[in-house]
Amino acid sequence: MWGHRLQGPIVFIGDIHGRFTLLSNLWSKLRNRVGGKTFEKLNIVFLGDYCDRGGETKEVVEWLTKLPERHPQQEHLYLCGNHDLALSAFMGLQPFSGLDFTVTRKTFKPKHVSGQKDEKWYSGVGADTMHLQGLRWACTKDAESSLGKGSPYDSGATFDSYGVRYGDREGLIKAMPQHHKQFFSNLEWVAELQSSIGNIIAVHAGFEEKDVLSQIQKLKDKWPWNPWLEPICGRQNVETMPSILREPILQRPGIQPAPQFLVSGHHGFLRITGRRLIIDSEGEQINSVLMNTQPIPHGHRGNQENLRRYGALHMEVITS
């Protein structure tokens, strides 16, 4: 999507995690805050993680798939989160369909988890060739699971939402509507956007310091062979802004020189540091950031706090 220019305000919505009631509350607040014609022409970027944890994954996905019909003048972009990726790997959705991902287990180095000795990976139908994250999505034993059903992803809530016994892969494939499967298959792994205030790169987790352009290209290609897929699944190693993106200009063919913004969810907190935005849930709420893409005029005195914190850019946090 590099070169896709967005006109008007942009809303970035953090991790939803199967909480339809909170999502509905946030949507109402956004409508009330923006109002009328502007709301109907918003650019909305969902930062991923639609499933797991909360008990309303099915309702969340159904609502998201109907959003373009209800608001045809809005622009909607749906990014893939680590939970969505793991669900897709477990179910064999694109780009995980029909391929042998045994290599992801053999090359797995547990930088973020303690490995198989503490996780009893899924071993049922389809496990022989499944991607590592699919195996972890339906673990049968893990002390970290807050729902007590095995998965470090807390995927038990998603099985419950579709009325399927935990770990029943064939049952989940049968129970999930085709347009829900298509939704997960079509999620973007990275978005590269242009606006009047600069170029915006949105990805679920972030980027490691080295070879940022290579990481971006693999995401655009949906290259699934890394066992951890750091830009989607990483943690502290992808929190900060890579050096190449801190520069005011990132030269690329067909792109006007402009500041770079890096936006993600995933990390369990809300933090805006310069042009690095992390917009995730905090406790029992969903966070979003409304970004005004019209630079604040020089000498403007109406919002000095925003000028001090964010420079010539107005951003407003709206929570559920």
Side-chain angles (χ1 to χ4, degrees), residues 149-223:
K149 291 188 177 181
S151 171
Y153 286 99
D154 287 341
S155 63
T158 297
F159 284 95
D160 289 346
S161 179
Y162 286 97
V164 177
R165 176 179 54 84
Y166 178 77
D168 183 358
R169 181 173 183 264
E170 293 178 313
L172 185 59
I173 291 172
K174 183 178 180 180
M176 183 178 287
Q178 184 60 36
H179 63 289
H180 288 205
K181 297 174 188 174
Q182 199 64 45
F183 172 80
F184 285 108
S185 295
N186 290 343
L187 295 176
E188 299 285 348
W189 286 18
V190 66
E192 299 177 293
L193 311 168
Q194 285 185 289
S195 75
S196 59
I197 51 85
N199 297 328
I200 301 168
I201 303 175
V203 66
H204 183 64
F207 297 111
E208 294 186 294
E209 174 65 25
K210 294 183 178 180
D211 301 321
V212 172
L213 299 185
S214 175
Q215 294 177 66
I216 291 174
Q217 187 58 54
K218 287 181 178 179
L219 292 172
K220 291 169 72 174
D221 295 339
K222 293 190 175 182
W223 190 84

Side-chain angles (χ1 to χ4, degrees), residues 11-16 19 26 47 268-271 278-283 285-289 317-320:
V11 175
F12 297 95
I13 295 180
D15 301 23
I16 298 170
R19 296 173 299 174
L26 176 62
L47 295 169
F269 53 81
L270 173 70
R271 185 172 70 198
I278 295 177
I279 309 164
D280 195 4
S281 308
E282 293 180 304
Q285 66 183 32
I286 299 172
N287 285 325
S288 71
V289 169
V317 175
I318 300 173
T319 70
S320 59

Side-chain angles (χ1 to χ4, degrees), residues 30-51:
L30 286 169
R31 185 194 298 272
N32 293 336
R33 171 63 185 86
V34 177
K37 294 181 180 179
T38 302
F39 179 79
E40 291 302 333
K41 295 183 179 180
L42 279 179
N43 304 288
I44 302 175
V45 179
F46 294 91
L47 295 169
D49 278 0
Y50 312 102
C51 61

